[in-house]
Amino acid sequence: MTEHVRGTRGYIDPQYVKYRKFSRKADVYAFGVVLLEVLTGTRALGGEIIPYQGFIDLANWIQQHISNATLIQIIDQRVASQIDPECLKYFANTTSKSLHNDPKKRPSMSEVVSQLEVALACQQQTNPSSSVIGDDVLQHFNAVSSQKHLATRSENMSSDTEDSSNPSTFDSEDSTIWSIMGISMAEYLGKTHNIFGDPITNKTMVQRGLTPTQANKAQLAYTMMNHGNKYDNALRFVRDLKAQWGNGISTLCLLYNATGETLTYAASRNWFGDIGPSPYPTVILNGQWGAYLHTKIPKMPSGSVAAVVYRGKYTENAFCDRMITWSIPWQRFTQDNAGYCEINAVGHFESAAVWDEIYKRTPYAGRESSAKWKDCYTRVTVESDTSPIYKAVFTHANAAVTSV
């Protein structure tokens, strides 16, 4: 049975984003975000709740303010001027529990309602005419529901995991990605300038009379690396970025997705230098090149040494993280350029100790490197130059990988 999970960035359960596993507690998380919006007077969309964007541990963030007695620093002044301290305590704790990263540790929706009733009772005892929390919660909840901002909705829901094993359902996983991003695939392809080539999807395979398995999609994508001059276009784009940025050490990065599935940006790491005029591609569809420029720090003796992680499927319902690094040192007469790659389970590259080890390995990896993990394969190469072309090909282990 197929689930169609829809949601909006900011309200989506981070456990779904990380593991692609749908939990019935996802709506509790979404409502927890609504409660946090009421508390802070800000919106989850656009990263307004906290000073930086992305999926973070909101529960830990608010719990730290509770423990440090600094809630007053983050709550809306309209709320702060009217709310009873005991009401605030119940309200904040309920919000924190609803946002717990572990769905099993979140309360049920009925428990959330019960706790809010206690909070409202405390408020009414202090100020019977005040409805600062009650009306706002109701208003926010109705608005979010009507606009479909609540994180997840499941049609024909009968389990906590998504079943996308039916190949006749064209790119159902991609549909989830676009729902999370709040944009259609056509809009993304029309607005994004750092990806190149027509995607090779299930529909493409069926139109060609081929069975749309991941391995088959990967093989077709691998054999069509420059179909329609997409590689040439990606290379021209990144060279234009280099010309725009100017002289100095930089890395002209070209990434090709021949995995048979969609790859999404998961993380990046800078040891020396920073991303150039164009960001990392957010989504690279099967059969597409992604391109970006990584540069040294201007006016400083710095090389370009960094890493990026992309996430994608390797079986019907399992995901992995693919990490690639490049090292273009400031003093190349002592050490040549290097490229390195690893593949591992989702979340593996979140450890500081793992990153420390990768940083140590990268300079000695040589100018060619490859990695295999389960059905995943990655190969990277880098030129010997002060501003070299760095190429990475992500593919399926069964694809005929012979060269980049």
Side-chain angles (χ1 to χ4, degrees):
M1 187 172 294
T2 301
E3 285 183 354
H4 303 286
V5 182
R6 303 180 184 275
T8 299
R9 187 180 179 91
Y11 299 90
I12 197 75
D13 186 345
Q15 292 301 302
Y16 178 76
V17 174
K18 189 172 182 179
Y19 299 112
R20 296 299 196 269
K21 290 185 178 181
F22 178 74
S23 167
R24 301 178 197 277
K25 293 289 186 71
D27 279 347
V28 175
Y29 181 89
F31 191 54
V33 176
V34 174
L35 296 178
L36 190 56
E37 288 181 326
V38 174
L39 195 65
T40 60
T42 54
R43 300 288 291 178
L45 300 177
E48 296 177 11
I49 284 184
I50 52 175
Y52 52 91
Q53 296 183 4
F55 296 104
I56 67 154
D57 190 343
L58 289 174
N60 183 58
W61 178 73
I62 190 172
Q63 195 60 50
Q64 286 181 350
H65 283 286
I66 295 173
S67 300
N68 298 334
T70 55
L71 269 176
I72 196 68
Q73 296 178 6
I74 65 170
I75 65 175
D76 186 358
Q77 291 304 306
R78 295 172 300 169
V79 175
S81 63
Q82 300 182 54
I83 193 169
D84 174 76
E86 196 67 18
C87 173
L88 176 59
K89 177 182 176 181
Y90 276 110
F91 193 87
N93 276 314
T94 302
T95 302
S96 176
K97 291 176 182 178
S98 300
L99 293 171
H100 202 289
N101 265 344
D102 185 350
K104 295 179 180 178
K105 295 184 179 180
R106 295 174 200 156
S108 65
M109 189 59 79
S110 61
E111 290 171 330
V112 171
V113 172
S114 297
Q115 287 298 307
L116 290 179
E117 287 175 345
V118 173
L120 293 174
C122 293
Q123 178 67 22
Q124 290 170 356
Q125 286 178 3
T126 304
N127 187 354
S129 63
S130 172
S131 59
V132 61
I133 296 297
D135 288 348
D136 276 1
V137 170
L138 184 60
Q139 180 182 359
H140 274 68
F141 187 77
N142 287 338
V144 169
S145 297
S146 64
Q147 295 171 26
K148 296 185 178 179
H149 284 167
L150 279 180
T152 50
R153 282 293 177 268
S154 174
E155 298 174 6
N156 302 321
M157 183 171 62
S158 63
S159 67
D160 282 350
T161 57
E162 182 178 359
D163 178 8
S164 56
S165 59
N166 183 0
S168 65
T169 303
F170 291 149
D171 309 305
S172 59
E173 182 61 37
D174 285 359
S175 298
T176 302
I177 292 172
W178 306 127
S179 295
I180 292 172
M181 293 178 64
I183 188 173
S184 70
M185 183 176 75
E187 290 173 323
Y188 177 76
L189 293 175
K191 294 179 179 179
T192 305
H193 304 293
N194 56 358
I195 54 173
F196 302 87
D198 293 329
I200 297 172
T201 65
N202 289 348
K203 186 175 182 179
T204 308
M205 301 297 288
V206 172
Q207 289 173 340
R208 289 172 172 260
L210 301 172
T211 304
T213 64
Q214 181 177 357
N216 287 348
K217 286 191 292 182
Q219 184 68 57
L220 182 59
Y222 190 83
T223 61
M224 297 176 67
M225 281 195 196
N226 197 28
H227 181 74
N229 296 319
K230 55 188 173 184
Y231 171 76
D232 297 336
N233 293 334
L235 181 59
R236 186 180 304 111
F237 171 80
V238 78
R239 282 177 171 165
D240 287 345
L241 291 179
K242 170 62 180 174
Q244 175 185 339
W245 185 75
N247 295 327
I249 290 175
S250 59
T251 312
L252 287 69
C253 300
L254 299 168
L255 281 55
Y256 188 65
N257 179 4
T259 66
E261 297 289 346
T262 297
L263 293 176
T264 57
Y265 169 87
S268 58
R269 190 91 167 185
N270 289 323
W271 289 289
F272 293 98
D274 203 351
I275 190 71
S278 181
Y280 293 105
T282 304
V283 175
I284 308 175
L285 298 171
N286 183 52
Q288 288 189 316
W289 284 96
Y292 57 90
L293 181 74
H294 191 273
T295 71
K296 68 180 287 293
I297 299 174
K299 300 181 180 180
M300 291 185 63
S302 158
S304 167
V305 184
V308 65
V309 179
Y310 277 88
R311 181 167 298 162
K313 273 187 177 183
Y314 69 88
T315 63
E316 291 295 345
N317 292 300
F319 290 74
C320 68
D321 284 350
R322 299 170 182 255
M323 184 281 308
I324 58 172
T325 67
W326 54 93
S327 175
I328 317 302
W330 171 251
Q331 297 179 324
R332 292 184 57 253
F333 58 84
T334 60
Q335 196 163 40
D336 200 1
N337 301 338
Y340 180 64
C341 57
E342 287 186 11
I343 312 169
N344 217 306
V346 168
H348 174 77
F349 300 105
E350 295 176 0
S351 166
V354 169
W355 282 118
D356 288 344
E357 188 62 29
I358 290 171
Y359 176 69
K360 293 176 184 177
R361 293 176 183 173
T362 297
Y364 304 100
R367 293 196 295 110
E368 296 185 12
S369 179
S370 62
K372 184 179 182 298
W373 186 82
K374 298 186 184 293
D375 290 331
C376 307
Y377 185 88
T378 300
R379 183 176 173 83
V380 299
T381 62
V382 61
E383 296 176 334
S384 183
D385 193 3
T386 55
S387 290
I389 296 172
Y390 172 89
K391 288 190 283 187
V393 173
F394 307 111
T395 190
H396 193 277
N398 292 338
V401 181
T402 55
S403 67
V404 182

